[in-house]
Amino acid sequence: MGKTGNRKPKRINEVMETELMEDVKSTVGRKEAVTGTSKGKLCRDSIRSGGEGKRGGEGERKQEKEPDKEKKPKEEKIPGSCRNIRLSFQRTVQILSAAIFNGYVAGFAQGKIFTGKAKGLCVPVLNCYSCPGALGACPIGALQTALGAGHHIPFYVLGFMLLFGVVLGRVVCGLLCPFGLVQDLLHKIPLPKYSVPKKIDRPARYLKYFILLFLVILLPAFLVDDTGVTPPLFCKYICPAGTLEGGLFHMAANAVLRGLAGILFYWKLILLIVVVLASTMIPRPFCRYLCPLGAFYSLFRRFAFFSMHLEETKCIGCKKCEGACPMAVEVTKNINSAECIRCGKCREVCPTGAITYRKK
Amino acid sequence: MGNRKKREGNFPVRIVRAAVLLAAVAFLMVGILQREYLEVLQKAARICLECIGIG
């Protein structure tokens, strides 16, 4: 049985091969069939190896289909499996930077904050220094403190901010900021998404410059109360990052602090809830309208080392980039807008690869 | 020609960037000499009541 079984397929193969050659001649063309170009070879090889399919065309089709079949199991989604999570470059960097800037794990366990010397250094992001994990100082908080308590030019903090601004610019917002990561994740929640009308969006974006100028710089510098110390007004009345990273944790962990919570805490909590809800529907509302650090870094858009580049010859004007931009930048008109946070989403969706990161 | 134009176009940007970079380093040096980092450390090493909403 085994022998006959072996002989029959051989004969069938021979017949099929001749059939195939005829088929190939009629469809692909004589030249290719005679010279044995890639298609002809593929068909012959497929039949010789397994004798699959009666016609060469089918064999060829199966050859093409096989890789798909091989791919399919890899793409299969198993609910709850970690294998399906593919992190983008942006998300990977965001998670890593959030972990590094808030790397004091013992703080979360003990309900205390880090008090080492590294707290004397400013981090490039808006990361509250009252967060139990924070290893460095928030530049906006440090700037307000230096202006409000010391009433002098804060060379040290300004030095850090200028350095980060010129070297990184708004790359900080797009790739490093932990609160940016929080907003991005919130926006992944499947709720209705809205785009803010330009009439409201454009003037509202100036709000962050107003906050930077008045609440962060001018008022702390020139407003003096009875104690001679001006509190950090932005941190005190607005910053939702402080409420989220520091406030909620300390309130939960410390009964004494919980007892002290008053109108101010509830005001900040409402503000945080508003930002959280807005983040689910609008991409990065805090970065767009409120963040004074983003406003400061946006001043460096012309001088920062990293910028985006649009190759106009490759651009086909499909505007997929503008649809993907979380900051609603008109990428095709002004790719290095002050609002661009260099997150690279436009680069990811560009079908022609016209958008690249550029180091000036 | 195109390259020269590009270089000329980037020229003031490069100068401004270098100037800002120098200013940043100079500010940092002055700040360190004036021991401003202690002020930052003092504030950051305590729980900021304003930041967490107690005031």
Side-chain angles (χ1 to χ4, degrees):
Chain A
M1 284 290 284
K3 281 179 185 176
T4 51
N6 285 337
R7 276 175 197 169
K8 273 188 179 176
K10 268 189 181 177
R11 283 175 195 165
I12 291 165
N13 279 352
E14 280 167 15
V15 173
M16 284 194 323
E17 194 173 345
T18 51
E19 271 182 17
L20 160 75
M21 289 307 287
E22 282 172 15
D23 213 24
V24 167
K25 276 175 194 173
S26 61
T27 53
V28 179
R30 278 187 182 181
K31 275 187 184 178
E32 283 183 0
V34 171
T35 52
T37 49
S38 58
K39 278 185 179 176
K41 274 185 180 177
L42 266 175
C43 299
R44 258 177 279 155
D45 291 346
S46 71
I47 288 168
R48 274 177 190 166
S49 59
E52 289 171 354
K54 287 183 179 177
R55 288 181 178 257
E58 282 176 17
E60 195 175 328
R61 266 172 245 147
K62 280 194 177 177
Q63 276 272 333
E64 284 170 5
K65 281 176 186 174
E66 270 174 10
D68 291 342
K69 277 184 181 175
E70 282 169 12
K71 277 179 191 174
K72 271 183 182 175
K74 285 179 188 174
E75 286 168 4
E76 262 179 27
K77 287 187 176 180
I78 306 158
S81 169
C82 293
R83 284 178 192 173
N84 301 324
I85 300 167
R86 281 183 191 173
L87 293 177
S88 64
F89 169 74
Q90 184 204 13
R91 197 71 74 237
T92 311
V93 177
Q94 280 178 317
I95 292 168
L96 279 175
S97 80
I100 291 166
F101 294 135
N102 296 295
Y104 185 62
V105 184
F108 293 104
Q110 295 165 3
K112 291 176 182 175
I113 63 166
F114 178 66
T115 54
K117 284 184 181 175
K119 270 279 176 83
L121 298 169
C122 289
V123 292
V125 294
L126 195 87
N127 191 59
C128 186
Y129 37 47
S130 290
C131 172
L135 291 170
C138 170
I140 290 294
L143 184 69
Q144 290 171 92
T145 305
L147 286 166
H151 294 287
H152 59 79
I153 300 170
F155 288 107
Y156 182 69
V157 183
L158 275 179
F160 269 112
M161 288 174 73
L162 288 174
L163 192 68
F164 295 138
V166 79
V167 174
L168 300 167
R170 291 203 83 177
V171 170
V172 170
C173 310
L175 298 181
L176 304 178
C177 183
F179 200 64
L181 170 67
V182 170
Q183 289 174 86
D184 282 348
L185 294 178
L186 284 168
H187 196 66
K188 293 269 176 195
I189 296 171
L191 281 174
K193 311 295 173 197
Y194 300 98
S195 62
V196 184
K198 277 185 183 176
K199 280 181 186 176
I200 300 167
D201 183 60
R202 284 193 177 169
R205 286 184 192 238
Y206 289 103
L207 189 60
K208 60 178 178 286
Y209 297 99
F210 177 84
I211 289 170
L212 172 68
L213 191 64
F214 287 96
L215 289 184
V216 176
I217 298 170
L218 292 178
L219 287 177
F222 297 109
L223 189 79
V224 183
D225 63 0
D226 298 337
T227 59
V229 176
T230 315
L233 297 171
F234 171 74
C235 300
K236 188 174 179 178
Y237 296 108
I238 296 176
C239 186
T243 317
L244 181 72
E245 295 168 6
L248 291 180
F249 183 84
H250 290 295
M251 289 293 172
N254 196 324
V256 179
L257 289 176
R258 213 164 35 243
L260 291 171
I263 295 170
L264 186 63
F265 177 74
Y266 295 113
W267 158 250
K268 286 195 73 181
L269 194 64
I270 290 166
L271 216 58
L272 173 66
I273 292 166
V274 168
V275 170
V276 165
L277 287 176
S279 300
T280 59
M281 292 178 274
I282 308 163
R284 295 209 177 211
F286 179 73
C287 305
R288 282 190 193 198
Y289 308 120
L290 298 172
C291 182
L293 193 59
F296 182 81
Y297 288 145
S298 71
L299 303 174
F300 295 87
R301 71 187 172 106
R302 288 186 195 279
F303 321 121
F305 278 97
F306 288 98
S307 61
M308 305 302 291
H309 176 64
L310 173 72
E311 205 167 312
E312 284 175 9
T313 51
K314 281 186 181 178
C315 179
I316 53 168
C318 65
K319 304 218 173 183
K320 280 185 180 174
C321 47
E322 292 183 8
C325 180
M327 298 297 281
V329 171
E330 290 178 318
V331 181
T332 50
K333 285 181 188 169
N334 183 14
I335 192 165
N336 285 311
S337 152
E339 298 300 322
C340 172
I341 55 170
R342 277 53 162 168
C343 63
K345 279 184 182 158
C346 53
R347 192 172 147 265
E348 282 171 18
V349 297
C350 181
T352 59
I355 300 168
T356 50
Y357 279 117
R358 192 172 63 175
K359 194 181 157 192
K360 283 183 194 170
Chain B
M1 281 296 285
N3 283 337
R4 194 184 290 171
K5 269 187 181 177
K6 271 185 184 175
R7 267 181 234 155
E8 282 167 3
N10 286 336
F11 188 65
V13 172
R14 285 182 182 180
I15 286 182
V16 174
R17 188 192 296 146
V20 175
L21 207 59
L22 275 174
V25 175
F27 276 30
L28 269 173
M29 298 295 281
V30 171
I32 291 166
L33 289 172
Q34 290 185 349
R35 298 194 167 199
E36 285 178 25
Y37 57 89
L38 292 176
E39 195 179 28
V40 174
L41 178 63
Q42 217 171 17
K43 177 72 180 172
R46 293 177 191 166
I47 293 173
C48 166
L49 295 179
E50 295 94 348
C51 303
I52 64 170
I54 290 175

